Structures are given as structure tokens and as C-alpha cells.
Amino acid sequence: MKHMKSEAYGYMKDMFTQHNMVKRVVLSFISIIIMGFGISLFSVSGFGVDPFTSMNMNVASTLSIGFGTYQLIVNAVILLYVIIVAHRGLVGVGTVFNMVGCGYTCEFFQGLIQPVVNEHYTYAVRIPLLLIGIITLCFACSLFFTANIGVGPYDALGFMLSRGIKLEHKWVRVITDVTVIFIGLVVSGGLNAILSGNFNEIKNIGIGTIITAFCMGPLINAFNKNVSAKIFNVDYEKISKEVAFFMIKGAFLKNSRPTYIAKADGSVKTNSYSL
């Protein structure tokens, strides 16, 4: 019981000792809305979505339940595991926003956009939707990560596995992405479609899925440096290229207030952090 109280206190302290907390929370919430919009553009384009979303969409369709509801359930299970096993620095208000809001926001925008696109379902419409979806999603992810008040459950799982099996996160991400794509293919009949050569029957997986695997990282990093870092007035060059690495190692230490250390000559030295 004491451990649980200590952890709960730790979560609260980590969250509310960060500077500009209101700004971080508001922009993190907005980023989830933008993220859902970007994913909906991906889906409507018909060129596939990101690996984790593709699995969730395929399983939800197979079970005949809403994508938002299924994604919420999966994220809740992952989040529970993360809270029990991982460092609390991975979980925050943003994690809850991501878990609850992303799927439902995507469903909402897809419901608005799909009927309009169906009337003009040509490559001249689909390709721009794909490109706009990529840019929108990368900006939203950058804004969400830079807010730095928790990572998404699926991202947290990747960092946990990387830490546990002592393998670089980029390779762990490849493994998890391939795994969720395979699961989505199996449950939706996509694997049988590939084996029989009926590629048109594959759902939610396509060139867009491949593009996200290879292009999202560099694009998100570009948004981090040129847009999001300026919005939040932070300098990632001084701390790390991966925010979550410091969340695991430091538990928001980088956001703590300045400390003052008395020196032998009577002067005072300040230790402060950029973020």
C-alpha cells in the first residue's frame, strides 16, 4: 500500500513540477485531435495506415466493433502492463489522451471525409490525401512528443522491450511493427489473400504503411527541430534526440526547477535544465 501511495505521489509530482504545464496539456490534447485527423486521411486514401493502426482496424473489423473502442481496449491493456512493469516516466496525461482520443477522433473525421471522397475516388484525390495525411500525422506526433507529458501505450511498450532485451529501440520498433502487421493480416484474411495472389483483398496495409515505417522518423525529427521546439521553447540538441530515453532515465529530471549549490569561495552555482 505504501508503495502504491509513493508511486501515485511520484506521478503527480512528475506531472505538475514541469514548467508551462497548462500549455503542454492543451497542446498535447490538440495534437491528438490532429493525429486522429491525419490517420483518417491515411485510411480514406486507401493506401494503408501505420502498422499499429492497421492491426487495430483489421481486428476491430473482424470483431464487428468500432475502431475507437477496440483501440481504447488494446491501449488500456498495454498501459496497465506499462504501469505495473515500467518506469513511471513513460506514463502521463498525454498517455491517457493518446489512449482514449486517437481512435475515436479518427473515426469521427473518417465518417466526415469518406462519403465525400467516395464520390471522387481517383488517384488524383487519393495521392494528395496520402501526402497530406503523412505531413499532418508527423506534425501531430512531433507536437505530442515535444509536449513531453507521457508517450502513447504502443510507444511505451517499444521502449520497455528495448530496455528489457538490451536491443536498440529502432530494431525493437521494427520487430513490433512487423508483428502487429502480421497479426492484422492473419485475423483479416490478408495473409490468405497474399498467398493466393489476391492483393486487392488486403485491408489497411499498403504503400502508406511502408512510407510511415521509413519516412515518419526523419519527418517527425524535422518538425521537432523547426516547429515544435519553437512552440514549446525547448532545445533538444542539448538533451537528446529521443525524449522518452530521458523519461526512462531521469523521470522528468530535465524539467525540474534550478538548484543552487554553494561553492567554497562563497559564490553560488546554478544547475538548470533547458526543457
Side-chain angles (χ1 to χ4, degrees):
M1 194 65 172
K2 288 183 178 180
H3 175 71
M4 292 181 65
K5 288 182 179 180
S6 176
E7 282 296 294
Y9 174 76
Y11 273 110
M12 297 296 290
K13 184 178 179 181
D14 286 345
M15 282 292 95
F16 294 101
T17 57
Q18 297 190 79
H19 71 279
N20 295 329
M21 187 60 190
V22 174
K23 181 179 181 180
R24 289 170 184 269
V25 171
V26 171
L27 289 178
S28 178
F29 180 78
I30 292 173
S31 74
I32 294 301
I33 297 175
I34 300 173
M35 197 178 297
F37 177 65
I39 295 173
S40 71
L41 293 179
F42 257 102
S43 181
V44 170
S45 74
F47 288 114
V49 292
D50 66 275
F52 185 57
T53 302
S54 72
M55 180 192 72
N56 290 336
M57 284 185 170
N58 284 335
V59 176
S61 177
T62 302
L63 297 176
S64 299
I65 62 176
F67 163 63
T69 300
Y70 179 78
Q71 179 138 316
L72 173 60
I73 294 171
V74 171
N75 280 335
V77 172
I78 295 174
L79 179 61
L80 180 62
Y81 176 73
V82 170
I83 291 175
I84 294 173
V85 177
H87 194 291
R88 69 171 185 257
L90 285 171
V91 180
V93 177
T95 309
V96 178
F97 290 161
N98 185 289
M99 178 182 74
V100 177
C102 196
Y104 287 117
T105 305
C106 173
E107 271 192 315
F108 171 75
F109 284 116
Q110 189 169 348
L112 295 178
I113 299 170
Q114 189 77 63
V116 178
V117 174
N118 285 344
E119 298 178 4
H120 308 282
Y121 201 64
T122 63
Y123 282 110
V125 173
R126 293 173 61 196
I127 292 175
L129 283 175
L130 174 64
L131 297 177
I132 295 171
I134 291 171
I135 295 172
T136 303
L137 183 58
C138 287
F139 169 67
C141 289
S142 172
L143 197 64
F144 177 76
F145 293 147
T146 312
N148 197 13
I149 53 173
V151 300
Y154 181 65
D155 297 308
L157 181 63
F159 284 111
M160 284 173 55
L161 292 174
S162 175
R163 189 184 183 197
I165 64 178
K166 310 299 181 183
L167 186 65
E168 285 187 65
H169 175 257
K170 63 180 180 181
W171 298 118
V172 172
R173 188 57 183 252
V174 170
I175 294 171
T176 55
D177 283 352
V178 170
T179 300
V180 296
I181 288 174
F182 182 76
I183 293 172
L185 284 171
V186 171
V187 299
S188 66
L191 187 59
N192 289 332
I194 292 175
L195 296 175
S196 61
N198 298 323
F199 296 102
N200 290 331
E201 295 182 10
I202 301 174
K203 301 175 182 178
N204 301 310
I205 298 172
I207 187 64
T209 311
I210 298 173
I211 291 174
T212 57
F214 291 97
C215 296
M216 278 189 67
L219 280 173
I220 290 173
N221 193 47
F223 274 119
N224 283 345
K225 293 179 180 179
N226 300 310
V227 181
S228 300
K230 294 179 180 178
I231 292 175
F232 288 98
N233 191 29
V234 298
D235 187 355
Y236 279 99
E237 296 296 332
K238 291 184 179 180
I239 52 173
S240 176
K241 292 181 180 179
E242 289 189 289
V243 176
F245 173 81
F246 275 80
M247 295 174 79
I248 294 173
K249 294 291 185 181
F252 299 99
L253 178 63
K254 59 187 177 302
N255 298 314
S256 63
R257 296 188 178 91
T259 57
Y260 301 92
I261 302 173
K263 299 173 69 175
D265 60 3
S267 61
V268 177
K269 177 182 178 182
T270 303
N271 283 348
S272 59
Y273 297 86
S274 299
L275 189 59

